[in-house]
Amino acid sequence: WRRPRTHSLADAQPSAPQGQHTRVVPARCGRRPEQSRNMADEVLGYKMADGMSAAIKSFQLRGSSGDAMVIRIVHSSDELQIEESCKGLSSIEDLAEKIEDAIEPRYLLFIHKQSHTDGRVSYPIAFVVFMPPNVPASLKMMYTRLVPALVEKFRVAKQFSLSDPEDLTTEWLEEKLAGR
């Protein structure tokens, strides 16, 4: 076991302007910085498509009621992709129409305006895993295996499962968000 090297101001880079000191910090664990940055764009071995992390962050921070994303796994490249991004849908039923012909599972993110009995209004992001009934077991495992990691990645409190798009209604979503 070797003690890690400590850095002091004597290790400052010579190009630093007089009066300012910078520390040289080596990459952790022998990993190059670009490798560790790319790890943030992976979920259990599945790459996130270019720009997907930024799009999801923008969705979380700037999205408004009725905004939605439909996400799928591209099996040939082991990649997560945003299949469709929608702004200002009038209701979650509009999102249900977009997935009613899907024959493969999808991940759905939807910002829902929720009015509380005490007058407060919140905008939770609902994470719905859509799993059509006749999907092969291998696809079911592939999609469900990622759910805990995606809940963390998308920073959502709850996830819901859905097998029939006709069940995706405002009442269904509000019951799920209320914990009923």
Side-chain angles (χ1 to χ4, degrees), residues 43-143:
V43 179
L44 294 177
Y46 289 89
K47 297 177 295 193
M48 295 182 83
D50 290 339
M52 186 172 170
S53 290
I56 289 173
K57 188 172 187 174
S58 175
F59 178 83
Q60 292 167 329
L61 298 175
R62 295 185 195 93
S64 60
S65 180
D67 290 359
M69 282 188 173
V70 180
I71 300 169
R72 70 186 192 119
I73 295 175
V74 178
H75 313 294
S76 60
S77 59
D78 289 337
E79 183 177 69
L80 289 163
Q81 262 184 7
I82 297 173
E83 183 176 67
E84 191 169 1
S85 185
C86 308
K87 291 258 184 217
L89 295 175
S90 60
S91 69
I92 196 160
E93 286 85 354
D94 293 343
L95 181 59
E97 288 178 17
K98 293 184 179 299
I99 62 165
E100 68 185 1
D101 295 329
I103 57 172
E104 286 194 7
R106 296 288 185 264
Y107 300 118
L108 312 172
L109 291 172
F110 183 77
I111 299 176
H112 177 69
K113 180 180 179 179
Q114 187 174 20
S115 300
H116 300 275
T117 56
D118 61 359
R120 292 177 299 122
V121 176
S122 61
Y123 296 88
I125 298 176
F127 178 44
V128 180
V129 180
F130 172 62
M131 192 76 60
N134 297 327
V135 172
S138 61
L139 276 181
K140 284 183 181 181
M141 288 189 327
M142 181 185 306
Y143 274 80

